[in-house]
Amino acid sequence: MAVAHRQLPLVAERGDPSPVGGVALGRGFVYVAGAWTDLHAVAAPGLAAPAKKEPGRPPSIGPAVQTKDPRFEVYRTEGQVHAVAVRGEVALVAAGSAGLHAVSLDRPMKRIAALPTEGFAYDVAISGDTVWVAECGAGLSLWKLESDGVPVLLARYRVSGEASKQIVIAPGGRYAMLHGGRSQFQVVSLAGNE
């Protein structure tokens, strides 16, 4: 449940409000580091209090817990999973620095392929047998999903100087809506790739 909201000041030369780079709690205040606008003290009486130090030894992180519940299964990658798209019994995983993974959903799950991407794989979308991957600074990549579940790279759309982090395919697969950079929304025609 949200109890408060604060937007940092507009930075005229950038045309956007300053993004928040970090926060710290004080007694009745939230201290906000503005990425472009320095430090802000936001009054939050009754809401903000400094974190209490916990005495004793530092926390320890144990080994990953393996569940014995048959309803759950875990697929691990070398990168950070940002998004998953499913077609039939194949999951395509946008695995950050580990690229694009194709995973069989048959039990137990198993890797079909791990494909390198030029940029961090942040998002993935499927329409029919076509796969799109938002690859941060490398733009948008277009893949064909073969019958064995392995995608094959077909083409790439570059977003000049901006990061591509999210992709949504319009119904029918003719257009891709691409989140590019901090505040860009691009519509890419896919009609020539049908």
Side-chain angles (χ1 to χ4, degrees):
M1 172 177 74
V3 294
H5 175 265
R6 172 68 185 260
Q7 181 171 308
L8 295 184
L10 179 71
V11 179
E13 58 271 13
R14 295 188 182 255
D16 284 316
S18 177
V20 173
V23 296
L25 297 176
R27 209 174 312 290
F29 285 89
V30 176
Y31 297 98
V32 179
W36 307 325
T37 57
D38 300 323
L39 180 64
H40 303 265
V42 179
L47 295 174
K52 294 179 182 174
K53 292 185 179 181
E54 296 181 14
R57 63 181 189 268
S60 64
I61 299 174
V65 177
Q66 299 297 325
T67 179
K68 296 187 186 320
D69 188 328
R71 297 175 299 166
F72 300 100
E73 194 172 342
V74 177
Y75 174 77
R76 298 191 189 285
T77 73
E78 299 78 21
Q80 180 179 356
V81 173
H82 292 275
V84 178
V86 176
R87 179 172 174 246
E89 293 301 313
V90 174
L92 294 172
V93 180
S97 61
L100 177 64
H101 287 213
V103 179
S104 168
L105 296 176
D106 291 332
R107 295 278 181 126
M109 287 188 295
K110 68 177 187 229
R111 180 179 299 177
I112 299 169
L115 304 159
T117 51
E118 283 187 26
F120 276 56
Y122 269 101
D123 199 8
V124 60
I126 302 174
S127 178
D129 63 354
T130 307
V131 178
W132 293 269
V133 180
E135 294 187 28
C136 198
L140 176 66
S141 58
L142 171 67
W143 306 69
K144 182 173 192 267
L145 189 59
E146 299 290 335
S147 60
D148 61 0
V150 178
V152 174
L153 182 64
L154 297 176
R156 184 170 296 285
Y157 171 75
R158 304 280 181 188
V159 181
S160 178
E162 297 290 349
S164 301
K165 292 191 174 179
Q166 185 178 19
I167 175 110
V168 175
I169 306 304
R174 293 181 50 87
Y175 299 98
M177 276 60 77
L178 183 62
H179 167 207
R182 294 182 310 273
S183 58
Q184 280 190 15
F185 171 75
Q186 296 188 16
V187 179
V188 180
S189 174
L190 306 171
N193 296 314
E194 294 175 338

